[in-house]
């Protein structure tokens, strides 16, 4: 399928594949089982330019396109889905809204440190009563002269424990959709990290509660227009969903590649199990599903690069890729037999990691809502 890519995109993909297989792969399982954030790997990824692939060089980015960036997320996730989401949340959910909605002053102030990986970014929309229904946000931003004062608490922020810069969504008016986005910095008084989640998978990435008590935000940290934070979040999540689709593709490919290797090595009934048609068909189905999801993801990524509206296509890509990741990880364990259920093989990690792709940045039900609404309209 690489014939669809440009020479630059192929080179980037190859470079990231080499880095990920040599540097990330060997430590991924141990880090994940120990809930350890891969600090050194993120520093090396930053040196390679992976924390700012799709942004202009004038702000410190690598000046490449979104297709390249999503290819990189897949290659990294092939070896470690936690590292994949660390990069994806940083780039798609923190850098992207600043680049897309920020003033020139905000871009100059925040992007160079974020895109170089010197600082890590996070995005905080979810709350205890505002999950799929983000319009139910309770965190409040009150205008006080030329400042904003924020109170409330946020849940489940990926990179929350490491991030220096947060895109935070808070209620700035009475109306259901009166939400605004703010750039919150770690060192602001009144801001603190609450509970760190213990999770089924992607344990090398942090998922944090954020508590805000009278956090004073200067006017110049309002991101985008007042009360346009809901729209900003939805546009941001369109891009984020392609990051998650790419993460899911990485998990699916890992499941397939490990299964092929195992099936050729494992001997039962005096022959490699790869000789059995039951195994061959599982692998054929896994690859066919993977490439369907890959095509949907590349199409939506190419639409994003062309400045087209790609909301529905991003939802379709994320929906399909996440279900394919689950399907492939499940089959991978089946092919590995009992060994697949143990920590001696990576497929148990792929199975645990795959599940989150059906949940975050919009559950599969919410993706179906986005897709069907764009086809049928609101009833
Ligand atoms: C590891 C992890 C990392 C995360 N990272 C971030 C992050 O960085 N930033 C952030 O802001 N959030 C983050 N989240 C939050 C995540 O996006 C939400 O968990 C997700 O959107 C679902 O919200 P919820 O958990 O409240 O589920 P709910 O919205 O309560 O949904 C529960 C169930 O009801 C279904 N449902 C809800 N509404 C409808 C509907 N209208 N129609 C049909 N079914 C419906 C859902 O599909 C689901 O099956 C993260 C979550 C996790 C677990």
């Amino acid at each position: 399928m690489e014939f669809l890519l440009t020479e630059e995109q192929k080179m980037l993909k190859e470079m990231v594949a080499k880095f990920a297989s040599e540097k990330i792969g060997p430590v991924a399982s141990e880090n994940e089982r120990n809930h350890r954030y891969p600090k050194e790997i993120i520093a090396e990824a930053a040196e390679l330019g992976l924390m700012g692939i799709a942004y202009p060089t004038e702000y410190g980015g690598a000046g490449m396109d979104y297709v390249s960036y999503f290819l990189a997320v897949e290659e990294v996730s092939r070896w470690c889905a936690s590292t994949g989401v660390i990069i994806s949340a940083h780039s798609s959910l923190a850098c992207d809204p600043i680049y897309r909605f920020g003033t020139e002053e905000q871009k100059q102030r925040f992007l160079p440190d974020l895109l170089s990986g010197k600082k890590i970014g996070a995005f905080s929309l979810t709350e205890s009563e505002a999950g799929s229904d983000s319009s139910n946000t309770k965190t409040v931003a009150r205008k006080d002269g030329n400042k904003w004062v924020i109170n409330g608490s946020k849940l489940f922020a990926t990179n929350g424990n490491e991030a220096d810069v947060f895109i935070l969504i808070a209620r700035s008016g009475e109306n259901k959709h009166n939400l605004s986005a703010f750039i919150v910095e770690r060192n602001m008084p009144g801001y603190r990290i609450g509970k760190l989640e213990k999770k089924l998978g992607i344990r090398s990435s942090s998922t944090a509660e954020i508590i805000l008590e009278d956090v004073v935000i200067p006017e110049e940290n309002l991101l985008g227009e007042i009360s346009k934070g809901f729209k900003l979040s939805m546009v941001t999540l369109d891009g984020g969903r392609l990051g998650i689709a790419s993460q899911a593709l990485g998990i699916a490919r890992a499941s397939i590649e490990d299964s092929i290797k195992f099936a050729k090595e494992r001997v039962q009934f005096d022959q490699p199990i790869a000789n059995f048609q039951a195994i061959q068909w599982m692998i054929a189905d896994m690859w066919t599903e993977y490439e369907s999801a890959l095509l949907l993801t590349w199409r939506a990524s190419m639409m994003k690069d062309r400045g087209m509206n790609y909301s529905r296509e991003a939802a379709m890509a994320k929906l399909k890729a996440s279900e394919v990741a689950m399907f492939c990880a499940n089959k991978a364990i089946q092919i590995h037999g009992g060994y697949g259920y143990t920590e001696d093989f990576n497929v148990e990690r792929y199975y645990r990691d795959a599940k989150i792709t059906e949940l975050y940045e919009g559950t599969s039900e919410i993706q179906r809502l986005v897709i069907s609404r764009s086809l049928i309209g609101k009833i």
Side-chain angles (χ1 to χ4, degrees):
M1 213 101 93
E2 290 194 3
F3 71 91
L4 292 171
L5 303 176
T6 64
E7 285 312 309
E8 278 105 4
Q9 289 162 350
K10 280 187 226 168
M11 273 166 58
L12 185 274
K13 183 169 153 53
E14 238 171 71
M15 184 271 281
V16 181
K18 185 169 174 342
F19 165 68
S21 63
E22 289 175 1
K23 297 287 170 81
I24 303 179
V27 293
S29 282
E30 200 187 331
N31 278 342
E32 205 271 342
R33 281 180 199 128
N34 292 321
H35 300 248
R36 188 177 173 277
Y37 179 81
K39 199 169 175 212
E40 308 77 19
I41 284 168
I42 294 300
E44 282 192 61
E47 269 182 35
L48 291 174
L50 304 188
M51 303 309 274
I53 294 176
Y55 302 96
T57 48
E58 61 178 295
Y59 298 117
M64 301 187 80
D65 55 16
Y66 283 102
V67 169
S68 305
Y69 157 58
F70 293 123
L71 289 170
V73 174
E74 177 182 342
E75 292 309 318
V76 167
S77 303
R78 154 66 185 92
W79 296 96
C80 176
S82 299
T83 310
V85 76
I86 292 167
I87 294 175
S88 180
H90 166 87
S91 298
S92 292
L93 303 184
C95 301
D96 219 56
I98 295 177
Y99 175 61
R100 196 160 293 274
F101 297 97
T103 60
E104 190 52 38
E105 190 271 333
Q106 287 172 333
K107 291 185 208 180
Q108 299 283 357
R109 188 148 63 101
F110 293 106
L111 286 180
D113 280 352
L114 286 169
L115 300 181
S116 64
K118 202 170 150 199
K119 288 188 173 173
I120 296 295
F123 172 80
S124 217
L125 172 65
T126 304
E127 296 181 5
S128 59
E129 291 175 60
S132 300
D133 181 9
S134 46
S135 66
N136 200 34
T137 295
K138 300 281 193 259
T139 295
V140 171
R142 183 175 45 82
K143 193 83 199 282
D144 182 13
N146 61 354
K147 295 184 165 51
W148 290 88
V149 181
I150 303 193
N151 278 287
S153 67
K154 294 287 186 181
L155 270 188
F156 293 157
T158 299
N159 293 343
N161 201 31
E162 298 78 23
D164 308 279
V165 176
F166 289 78
I167 308 304
L168 187 121
I169 310 298
R171 176 161 304 287
S172 53
E174 293 305 316
N175 186 290
K176 198 167 179 269
H177 289 295
N178 274 160
L179 304 181
S180 298
F182 298 89
I183 306 175
V184 178
E185 296 166 79
R186 191 182 189 86
N187 52 9
M188 289 175 162
Y191 160 94
R192 68 186 162 90
I193 309 282
K195 184 182 172 208
L196 291 177
E197 302 297 340
K198 295 239 189 287
K199 309 189 294 285
L200 174 70
I202 56 160
R203 293 173 177 169
S204 293
S205 73
S206 69
T207 309
E209 180 188 20
I210 310 291
I211 298 166
L212 304 114
E213 285 163 342
D214 289 328
V215 178
V216 177
I217 310 267
E219 176 78 33
E220 59 265 25
N221 280 31
L222 172 75
L223 182 62
E225 292 174 51
I226 296 178
S227 296
K228 293 285 168 63
F230 184 79
K231 176 79 184 152
L232 177 147
S233 303
M234 295 305 117
V235 170
T236 299
L237 287 171
D238 283 342
R241 283 168 189 165
L242 291 181
I244 302 310
S246 307
Q247 182 198 28
L249 287 170
I251 299 168
R253 214 180 77 219
S255 303
I256 301 167
E257 289 174 359
D258 285 17
S259 295
I260 293 173
K261 181 171 180 290
F262 183 85
K264 285 178 168 175
E265 287 167 4
R266 174 69 175 163
V267 173
Q268 287 293 275
F269 299 96
D270 302 322
Q271 53 191 312
I273 61 166
N275 275 350
F276 302 133
Q277 200 175 51
I279 302 289
Q280 294 165 1
W281 285 16
M282 275 196 256
I283 287 168
D285 287 346
M286 289 157 86
W287 192 255
T288 306
E289 287 294 296
Y290 164 75
E291 288 212 341
S292 321
L294 188 77
L295 277 173
L296 284 174
T297 306
W298 285 8
R299 175 185 65 167
S301 310
M302 287 172 188
M303 289 173 77
K304 181 168 168 65
D305 270 325
R306 285 166 175 73
M308 298 164 74
N309 182 343
Y310 66 101
S311 283
R312 180 174 71 206
E313 288 74 13
M316 290 165 70
K318 198 246 182 199
L319 173 65
K320 180 70 182 171
S322 57
E323 292 187 349
V324 167
M326 283 298 286
F327 173 79
C328 290
N330 184 31
K331 291 289 179 218
I333 293 186
Q334 199 63 26
I335 290 171
H336 282 68
Y339 301 98
Y341 201 67
T342 71
E343 290 188 356
D344 292 346
F345 288 86
N346 287 335
V347 289
E348 65 86 29
R349 170 163 59 93
Y350 306 156
Y351 188 76
R352 293 186 291 100
D353 285 348
K355 184 59 204 172
I356 189 60
T357 66
E358 292 189 318
L359 296 170
Y360 55 17
E361 306 205 21
T363 61
S364 295
E365 291 72 31
I366 295 303
Q367 307 309 324
R368 288 187 165 92
L369 205 78
V370 171
I371 298 161
S372 59
R373 269 195 189 156
S374 87
L375 294 167
I376 305 169
K378 250 188 179 173
I379 302 160

